[in-house]
Amino acid sequence: MQSTKRNIGPVSLMFTGLGSIIGSGWLFGAWHASMIAGPAAILAWIIGAVVILAIALTYVEMGTMFPESGGMVRYARYSHGGLVGFMAAWANWISIVSVIPIEAIASVQYMASWPYPWAQGMLEKGELTDVGVAASAALVLVYFFLNYWGVKLFIKTNTAITVFKLVVPALTGVCLIWSGFHAENLGLTSTASFAPYGWSAVFTAVATSGIVFSFNGFQSPVSLAGEARNPTRSIPFALVGAILIALVVYVLLQVAFIGAVEPSSIAGGWHGLDFTSPFAQLALAINLNWLAMLLYLDAFVSPSGTGSIYTATTARMIYAMEKNNTMPKIFGSLHPIYDVPRPAMYFNLAVSFAFLFFFRGWGTLAAVISVAVIISFLTGPISLMSMRKNASDIPRPIKLKAMGLISPFAFVCASLVLYWARWPLTGHVILLVIGALPIFLYYQSKKGWQGFAKDFRAALWLIIYLPTMALLSYLGSDDFGGIGVLSGGWDMLVVALSATAFYYWGVSSGYRTQYLEESVALRGTTETETKKRADTRLQKPRGITPQSF
């Protein structure tokens, strides 16, 4: 049986998460968040980090229970069966594979502000031209080949790239604050100045400006858990450490961006901000030419580091989905020398090219990814608490005591973020997730519908939850794109109460699935028991035995 090799230490694993988080989000996120929420975008980053950290904590326990490659697409299958597992895996894969092209788009979009006609011709009205798409495709190929010859090459390049990615944003924030900070832009004199578009805009910024998208990278350490040395220590260290460090960097950058903008540029409101390469243009405006050059370089390094990481993790997701028997067998093979799932890499490469063709702007694709991210995380809190009830015998190297409170809080927060994403975007992405069900049904028919009835009952909460959230989004406040049947304030209360009910329904719907037998945890236990029985037989003294009589 093929297995992955454990080559990644705790610090390298944290850099994998940090490298995923600090990608193109920092290059554009502060600008988009400011356009939506004004100075209150600072709070949007903090709210986003709290939500993601709560969700991430639910994956700490499961990541150490099942230290498997592509683990993020398996946990729901272990707790609720094949149908919930497939829907969660599909949403998770969409949210991750689409990051590969968006990182390439970010690099090319920054390049389009260079003072050369050939570079400026790559972007038109905020979207890539055909030349820009071709340049982005070339970058996607670079990410592909960085992973083609194994995870060791990927990790060596990633650690160096991540250090650079961490230094440049921090240096940018400090230099902008030091050299040209307009404190009046923060609007601290009144609530109307600090949050000019209301608090609903702050919540929308969390969901659609790239904040959730930016923090999405925390799951990379979980997806690479099968290659982690000492996963009990490495996984929680990597998850929590990456999120907290990234939060500090993002808040610093948001404050710096708000203060660096010329007050005359926002005289007509924050909605009117127009940039191609936000931080580089601000650096040039205050004569920090050296910083602008560094930023243009980092516009390739940061997204390329993230794109490379996601090329690695998405390949392992497809590899894991094949192990779930919902993808063709070819995607479950590893290269005999380099230990990477190359067929899965080729598949993700083709999908990345498709995303490049249909989504040619950073902001548009970031909003889609953010909603898919939230849908993919919804099952985490429910799977954790369900397995505590139905699979309590599985060893848990880490068991957080407060998860009885954190898990429902995380689920409700994720549901609110899904609502904040605004209609019709919420409905479109939910439809994209549900639209994949024919693939699952096809593989079920090949199996003769074995166990389908039980899996369907366990999935009923999710099947009803997603259309319900789409309906609430449609009926919701006009602040969030709805038709106004649910007025402001009451809408979020209804969403929170509905999410709470679905959470407890989801937890109670779980059962001890047969798929748990596929997990590393139970395979390891079975192998250990088998070895003990064999050792006992070998140690049994020969000669007279009870059977002799």
Side-chain angles (χ1 to χ4, degrees), residues 285-530:
I286 57 177
N287 296 317
L288 293 178
N289 295 338
W290 64 270
L291 180 60
M293 295 302 103
L294 186 61
L295 285 166
Y296 283 129
L297 173 62
D298 189 68
F300 281 97
V301 175
S302 285
S304 295
T306 302
S308 298
I309 291 168
Y310 279 72
T311 300
T313 55
T314 52
R316 282 151 183 81
M317 284 181 180
I318 294 296
Y319 173 83
M321 288 172 73
E322 187 280 327
K323 298 305 176 189
N324 291 352
N325 296 314
T326 53
M327 292 293 281
K329 291 293 183 184
I330 189 174
F331 295 134
S333 61
L334 296 171
H335 191 277
I337 298 175
Y338 299 111
D339 203 40
V340 293
R342 282 186 175 177
M345 290 178 64
Y346 281 115
F347 176 70
N348 288 328
L349 180 66
V351 173
S352 298
F353 287 157
F355 271 107
L356 277 178
F357 182 79
F358 289 108
F359 298 95
R360 299 189 174 205
W362 188 91
T364 304
L365 190 50
V368 172
I369 293 171
S370 296
V371 178
V373 164
I374 290 301
I375 294 175
S376 71
F377 290 159
L378 286 168
T379 57
I382 288 176
S383 291
L384 171 64
M385 300 310 293
S386 177
M387 283 194 285
R388 281 193 174 186
K389 181 178 67 172
N390 299 311
S392 58
D393 58 308
I394 297 179
R396 285 165 169 77
I398 292 178
K399 186 175 182 180
L400 301 178
K401 295 181 179 179
M403 292 314 298
L405 296 175
I406 294 174
S407 289
F409 172 76
F411 186 84
V412 170
C413 285
S415 300
L416 285 169
V417 173
L418 187 59
Y419 174 72
W420 297 338
R422 298 175 61 88
W423 180 267
L425 178 62
T426 302
H428 289 164
V429 180
I430 287 175
L431 183 61
L432 184 62
V433 174
I434 295 175
L437 286 178
I439 299 175
F440 176 80
L441 297 176
Y442 168 75
Y443 280 98
Q444 282 296 304
S445 66
K446 290 185 66 176
K447 291 169 56 180
W449 304 98
Q450 184 179 358
F452 177 74
K454 197 170 187 178
D455 282 358
F456 180 78
R457 287 193 298 271
L460 197 57
W461 69 272
L462 183 59
I463 293 171
I464 296 176
Y465 168 84
L466 290 175
T468 299
M469 287 303 301
L471 179 63
L472 290 176
S473 180
Y474 173 71
L475 297 175
S477 164
D478 55 4
D479 289 335
F480 298 106
I483 61 175
V485 173
L486 297 172
S487 58
W490 290 104
D491 55 343
M492 286 193 281
L493 178 60
V494 170
V495 171
L497 291 176
S498 300
T500 302
F502 276 107
Y503 168 80
Y504 287 106
W505 183 11
V507 172
S508 65
S509 295
Y511 67 100
R512 189 180 180 89
T513 69
Q514 69 271 30
Y515 305 112
L516 274 170
E517 303 301 325
E518 304 169 357
S519 69
V520 166
L522 289 190
R523 285 206 313 267
T525 302
T526 302
E527 289 169 2
T528 300
E529 291 175 351
T530 301

